[in-house]
């Protein structure tokens, strides 16, 4: 059982503890939408980060569009928005990670002190929809981009995705895609639903996840994961 999440490790540790998967060399976790894959004891297998130059161009675009933004490192959420977005505060609470405000100049001066795992537009749906519409192709092509919520648009290294991380992990474990079942409900799950021999969409999935899944299980309020394991594994 491998938890594959857009969250940083701080946002997934409690679940690893509940599942008795924490601090193991023979158990694995994928975080930051595939930008980081490691054993639950911390041995890193996949590590993709965003360069400062790409980040600087991206955050300047966010400022131009008037969209709140942030980045996530392994230790902190950083934002150049002095007036914090409600969604930044929500994300901080959700993933148990503190927020630091820094100007872009300050981020440039301390760039050797952090690694950017992912960048996020965090704002109302209409603002993000417009920013997506206006996003220059040249800038978009530098990133792997997923919409995890109406109010979150996430940007990772071009090679980072849940599907690619799962592919790499499967190879390490001597598994083929046909031996893998993946379950998800959002657009950032699509790559792993497509990779796995059996892609299972939760009953509460967004339309784009339902479109690429092989089958649909119950929703997350009715033990959909357990239903899928009992039906397709046991």
């Amino acid at each position: 059982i491998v938890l594959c999440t857009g969250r940083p490790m701080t946002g997934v540790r409690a679940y690893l503890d509940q599942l008795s998967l924490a601090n193991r060399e023979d158990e694995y976790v994928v975080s930051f939408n595939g930008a980081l894959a490691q054993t639950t004891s911390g041995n890193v297998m996949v590590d993709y980060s965003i360069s400062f130059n790409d980040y600087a161009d991206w955050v300047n675009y966010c400022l131009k569009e008037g969209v709140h933004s942030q980045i996530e490192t392994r230790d902190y959420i950083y934002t150049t928005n002095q007036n914090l977005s409600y969604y930044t505060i929500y994300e901080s609470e959700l993933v148990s990670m503190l927020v630091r405000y820094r100007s872009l100049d300050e981020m440039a001066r301390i760039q050797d002190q952090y690694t950017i795992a992912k960048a996020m537009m965090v704002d109302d749906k209409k603002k993000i929809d417009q920013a997506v519409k206006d996003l220059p192709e040249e800038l978009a092509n530098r990133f792997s981009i997923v919409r995890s919520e109406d109010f979150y648009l996430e940007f990772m290294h071009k090679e980072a995705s849940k599907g690619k991380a799962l592919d790499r992990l499967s190879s390490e474990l001597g598994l083929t895609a046909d031996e893998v079942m993946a379950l998800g409900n959002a657009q950032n799950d699509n790559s792993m639903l497509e990779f796995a021999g059996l892609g299972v969409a939760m009953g509460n999935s967004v339309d784009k996840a339902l479109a690429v899944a092989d089958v649909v299980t119950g929703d997350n309020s009715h033990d959909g994961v357990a239903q899928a394991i009992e039906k397709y594994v046991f």
Side-chain angles (χ1 to χ4, degrees), residues 52-81:
F52 179 81
N53 286 341
D54 284 342
Y55 161 64
D57 289 345
W58 173 85
V59 79
N60 278 320
Y61 173 75
C62 293
L63 291 169
K64 175 185 172 184
E65 290 286 308
V67 176
H68 285 89
S69 65
Q70 64 188 46
I71 59 171
E72 291 187 3
T73 70
R74 295 192 189 185
D75 302 306
Y76 295 99
I77 295 172
Y78 289 95
T79 180
T80 57
N81 303 127

Side-chain angles (χ1 to χ4, degrees), residues 126-184:
K126 288 183 178 179
K127 283 191 174 183
I128 292 183
D129 287 346
Q130 188 63 49
V132 171
K133 183 179 178 181
D134 296 339
L135 187 64
E137 184 177 357
E138 185 278 329
L139 184 60
N141 287 341
R142 301 190 211 175
F143 301 95
S144 171
I145 305 171
V146 294
R147 188 83 171 255
S148 56
E149 300 282 356
D150 283 343
F151 45 84
Y152 286 157
L153 186 67
E154 309 193 15
F155 294 73
M156 285 75 61
H157 184 283
K158 185 68 176 177
E159 296 300 316
S161 74
K162 290 186 180 183
K164 288 181 179 178
L166 206 55
D167 188 359
R168 171 77 175 276
L169 179 58
S170 297
S171 296
E172 291 280 341
L173 298 176
L175 300 173
T176 65
D178 288 343
E179 296 173 292
V180 176
M181 178 174 74
L183 303 97

